[in-house]
Amino acid sequence: MNLLFLEEIDSTNKYAKEHIAEIPDGTIVYTDNQTAGRGRLNRKWSYMGEDNIYASLVLKPSDKMEDVYSNLTQLLCLVLCQTFEEYGVKPKIKWPNDIQINGKKISGILAEAVMGENVLKGIVLGFGINLNTSREILSQIDQPATSLNLEIGKTIDKKEFLEKVINKFCLLYNDFIEGGFLLIREDYIRRAGFLNKEVTVKVLNKILCGVAKDITPTGALKLLDENNEEHILLIGDIL
Ligand code: BTN
């Protein structure tokens, strides 16, 4: 995997999308100073200081979009969980790819596909991780959030954390492209904090309430609503 470090940038995802043609497959674009980070649903991703991770992984698996590519966020999510676990914490996944520790968000992923005239130019998996943040900074975020240093009581080496993520991702990636989500389903489900619980899911502009029953072999969320009707959700956000 290649590393492309930028001293300061508005958003690593935006940079990766704009330079997709020049960035080789398997490159991590990362920065210490992200001035206008974006999250899913056009939310803002706050800058919390240079000791946190602001990175985008550029992948070019083929020039044709395949269903399995939409599960790459779940692969990265699992890899991030496994990395957190090496530090002795117990992360939980909030479908599809938020990571929480003790109910507080510690990491988020923003996946974007870059298309051009019916060809897939590349996939950008942006991830933000709170590695070393103070309680004071976290209290300014609009949702409960935590940081790895606060969870384990010591400063985290950012380079070491990133290397662990890269190594784990590389180990699984080729098999995942061949075998799909099914390959990681059990490991993903083991960390899914929302299963068999009442959830409210926002799907585009619709709100669905019910019990999260399962994650299907293709990574979708199976929800049983208040009228016992089953919904298979490919996209959405648990609120
Ligand atoms: C979310 O939780 O909504 C996803 C957050 C993704 C944030 C990362 S930080 C690096 C990359 N650049 C961005 O602008 N966003 C992603």
Side-chain angles (χ1 to χ4, degrees):
M1 205 165 284
N2 315 300
L3 288 172
L4 174 54
F5 175 70
L6 306 167
E7 202 77 54
E8 183 182 303
I9 195 74
D10 48 0
S11 151
T12 55
N13 262 43
K14 185 164 170 273
Y15 179 92
K17 286 191 292 175
E18 285 170 1
H19 296 82
I20 198 83
E22 306 107 74
I23 301 176
D25 177 28
T27 299
I28 293 210
V29 180
Y30 70 111
T31 185
D32 280 349
N33 294 289
Q34 181 167 261
T35 55
R38 305 301 322 166
R40 297 174 67 222
L41 308 172
N42 216 24
R43 290 188 199 115
K44 172 178 166 210
W45 184 261
S46 300
Y47 178 67
M48 302 208 219
E50 62 181 25
D51 295 326
N52 298 285
I53 292 180
Y54 314 92
S56 299
L57 170 56
V58 175
L59 298 168
K60 299 182 172 177
S62 76
D63 57 11
K64 200 175 129 256
M65 192 67 187
E66 305 281 353
D67 288 346
V68 65
Y69 301 162
S70 60
N71 297 114
L72 281 166
T73 53
Q74 288 164 310
L75 174 65
L76 179 59
C77 183
L78 175 66
V79 161
L80 295 182
C81 284
Q82 289 171 339
T83 308
F84 282 126
E85 284 160 10
E86 286 198 12
Y87 291 81
V89 292
K90 288 203 166 17
K92 289 275 175 228
I93 298 171
K94 198 176 97 177
W95 180 85
N97 52 39
D98 270 3
I99 303 176
Q100 297 182 330
I101 292 182
N102 297 324
K104 297 178 201 158
K105 184 156 169 169
I106 192 160
S107 173
I109 301 173
L110 172 65
E112 300 183 88
V114 188
M115 301 295 299
E117 289 178 19
N118 286 331
V119 290
L120 174 66
K121 293 187 169 175
I123 293 165
V124 178
L125 297 180
F127 54 104
I129 304 176
N130 304 340
L131 276 194
N132 296 294
T133 310
S134 67
R135 287 190 205 283
E136 198 199 333
I137 291 179
L138 286 171
S139 67
Q140 292 155 20
I141 307 290
D142 57 1
Q143 60 175 309
T146 189
S147 177
L148 190 53
N149 64 316
L150 298 175
E151 294 295 329
I152 67 167
K154 62 176 183 209
T155 305
I156 313 298
D157 184 324
K158 179 165 140 171
K159 199 164 159 262
E160 193 178 286
F161 190 97
L162 207 51
E163 273 166 11
K164 286 180 195 282
V165 171
I166 293 170
N167 291 341
K168 288 183 199 304
F169 192 88
C170 288
L171 270 179
L172 292 170
Y173 179 63
N174 287 334
D175 287 347
F176 185 81
I177 292 293
E178 289 298 311
F181 181 76
L182 203 51
L183 230 61
I184 62 159
R185 180 168 174 260
E186 275 180 29
D187 289 327
Y188 182 93
I189 285 179
R190 209 172 305 129
R191 294 163 176 89
F194 53 86
L195 283 182
N196 296 314
K197 290 193 180 142
E198 294 266 357
V199 292
T200 304
V201 188
K202 187 169 180 221
V203 189
L204 302 174
N205 285 327
K206 234 171 98 183
I207 299 281
L208 278 171
C209 296
V211 177
K213 287 311 261 185
D214 202 2
I215 298 295
T216 70
T218 56
L221 174 65
K222 191 190 276 184
L223 184 112
L224 205 59
D225 75 12
E226 291 135 326
N227 306 317
N228 259 353
E229 238 174 83
E230 197 175 278
H231 301 260
I232 303 291
L233 306 176
L234 296 168
I235 51 162
D237 261 285
I238 295 182
L239 301 177

